[in-house]
Amino acid sequence: MLYAVIVILTIVLVRLIIHLSQKDKEKDNRTTVVMSKVYVWIFIIGSILFALGALAYQLFSGEDIILTVVLAIAAILSFLCSLCCSSFRINMKDQEFTYRTSFGRTYTFSYTDVTELTATENAVHMVAGKKNFWIDSKALGVEKFIRAVENKELTM
């Protein structure tokens, strides 16, 4: 019975994640580059599961503390990943853009300040001024940002 409940909850969770990812991709007229909310939710759910696993292991087994510590560290790292995914953002304007890193630091550049832009399957590498930036190629709005950098201005 417990396995049936776990399977049903897993199916519902996967369907919800698929629905959220399709909903995010429909918004193509955006002037920002952001990470999909799906990543944030996956990391939040992961941190909750790791924390519950650490708590359950410590309460019911309590023999070895090393597994509890490992699960607690995984919960903290997963939560930090969700914070990083939610704080990353590139705001595009007509002649410039503002890049906010995953840790909250902001940089404002003109499109002409970008000296190198390399797009691969997994990431986009950008050099602006003396700074190197990496953007996930699956971030929402990244194609529009690449076009804006190549054209040296934002076109709608």
Side-chain angles (χ1 to χ4, degrees):
M1 178 66 178
L2 179 62
Y3 293 118
V5 171
I6 291 173
V7 168
I8 290 172
L9 287 176
T10 304
I11 290 172
V12 168
L13 188 62
V14 168
R15 299 290 284 176
L16 178 67
I17 289 171
I18 290 171
H19 173 71
L20 287 174
S21 67
Q22 289 172 347
K23 185 178 174 185
D24 276 348
K25 288 183 180 182
E26 292 172 358
K27 302 175 186 175
D28 193 29
N29 59 353
R30 63 178 70 232
T31 58
T32 58
V33 178
V34 293
M35 295 301 293
S36 175
K37 298 289 184 208
V38 174
Y39 290 129
V40 176
W41 281 106
I42 288 172
F43 285 124
I44 287 174
I45 291 169
S47 66
I48 290 170
L49 291 177
F50 283 129
L52 288 176
L55 182 65
Y57 183 77
Q58 191 60 33
L59 287 177
F60 297 121
S61 178
E63 297 172 4
D64 205 11
I65 195 159
I66 199 107
L67 183 62
T68 305
V69 170
V70 168
L71 288 172
I73 290 171
I76 291 169
L77 289 176
S78 183
F79 181 72
L80 289 176
C81 286
S82 71
L83 289 178
C84 288
C85 285
S86 64
S87 68
F88 166 78
R89 175 178 310 273
I90 299 175
N91 291 320
M92 297 181 280
K93 297 179 184 164
D94 289 337
Q95 300 297 320
E96 65 182 17
F97 63 93
T98 302
Y99 184 100
R100 185 172 70 187
T101 65
S102 297
F103 300 108
R105 183 129 189 218
T106 59
Y107 301 94
T108 302
F109 295 104
S110 169
Y111 291 111
T112 57
D113 292 340
V114 178
T115 56
E116 181 182 338
L117 184 72
T118 308
T120 63
E121 184 179 332
N122 297 321
V124 176
H125 177 245
M126 177 182 67
V127 178
K130 294 183 179 182
K131 298 283 184 187
N132 286 307
F133 298 102
W134 294 91
I135 306 166
D136 189 347
S137 64
K138 292 166 187 59
L140 301 173
V142 73
E143 296 88 8
K144 192 172 198 174
F145 177 71
I146 291 172
R147 284 193 309 270
V149 169
E150 289 172 350
N151 297 334
K152 303 294 184 198
E153 66 179 352
L154 180 64
T155 55
M156 293 293 177

